[in-house]
Amino acid sequence: MDTQSDPAVAPAKGPSYASYLRLDDLLACQSPLSGTHDEMLFIVIHQASELWMKLCLHELTAARDAIATSRLEPAFKMMARVARVQQQLIGSWEILATITPADYSAMRGKLGTSSGFQSHQYRAMEFLMGNKNAAMIDVFADAPPTQATLTDALTQPSIYDEALRALARAGLSVPEGRLTRDFSKPYVASPQVEMCWRTVYAEPERHWDLYELAEKLVDLEYRFQLWRFGHLKTVERVIGFKRGTGGTAGVPYLARVIDQVFFPELLTVRAVL
């Protein structure tokens, strides 16, 4: 029952809506610097994206831990939730793209060197998905606690590493080197791992949980790539081929990122089914 619509209902004891959500703090976090109309949109979109990424990290970490302990069904629910959150992140580019080049140019001088490239949550999410690159931690050299958090994330198994261990526990012949590797290093695709997934896809009824796990992973990668592509096209639309505020090459850098894959054998196996 919505007590807000019925003034005769006394509010329950405990936190109010505003205090529970800390709305005073949350709504005080938007501090435009340029005096332009569109900067509020720019700030809100990026802050909201960081909150969605916080939820993604919460869910993906729990999903990875569930896979590690052979609790695949709870992991499926968490991964499906992340896929829905990713749709929100993808949709945010549609709103940000309403900023015109002139609008952005009017505020850009106040952004300094700030850039989405410096989002530690985005980097942690990539590490958790399996895109390990130790050089990315160097960006946070002036923030030791953040750098330490990312270093820990770099060395932990990715969700795909735990998926491969689940394959091995099911009796499939995953190479030992893929199970006990240095998780801080980039994952290298394996023909033997592809054969394991081929076995799963060839007999989905027999390996239903692993088949479902594979499809949930593919769904995550699919939406992550759509998010990256939306970023690329939005930047292209707003600033063209200018360099990014953080010193990256802008559109050419984002185009290269799209070529990165998280779960390579789940893509290549489709060509041999």
Side-chain angles (χ1 to χ4, degrees), residues 60 79 82 86 216-224:
L60 287 174
M79 295 165 76
V82 172
Q86 287 175 309
K216 285 289 188 290
L217 289 168
V218 170
D219 206 30
L220 288 177
E221 172 140 357
Y222 171 71
R223 285 179 168 80
F224 207 105

Side-chain angles (χ1 to χ4, degrees), residues 156-207:
Q156 294 296 316
S158 71
I159 195 169
Y160 192 56
D161 290 317
E162 292 298 351
L164 298 187
R165 288 175 168 179
L167 287 177
R169 288 194 299 272
L172 295 167
S173 300
V174 180
E176 182 65 23
R178 292 299 184 275
L179 302 174
T180 59
R181 69 187 190 86
D182 180 351
F183 297 118
S184 69
K185 303 297 183 184
Y187 177 80
V188 178
S190 160
Q192 293 95 329
V193 169
E194 183 185 287
M195 284 299 299
C196 292
W197 287 121
R198 185 175 182 177
T199 299
V200 170
Y201 274 92
E203 297 183 271
E205 295 83 4
R206 179 181 175 186
H207 304 286

Side-chain angles (χ1 to χ4, degrees), residues 7 28 38 45-46 72 97 102 112 123 132 141 147 161 200 216-217 228 239-240 245 247 260 271:
D38 291 87
I45 285 288
H46 286 85
L72 295 187
R123 199 59 61 196
K132 302 294 185 75
Q147 193 172 51
D161 290 317
V200 170
K216 285 289 188 290
L217 289 168
R228 285 170 162 174
I239 70 170
T245 50
Q260 299 170 350

Side-chain angles (χ1 to χ4, degrees), residues 13 19 23 27 38 75 90 94 153 205 207 214 216 225 234:
K13 292 182 178 180
S19 66
L23 287 184
L27 298 178
D38 291 87
I90 293 165
E94 293 287 332
E205 295 83 4
H207 304 286
K216 285 289 188 290
Q225 294 290 35
T234 301

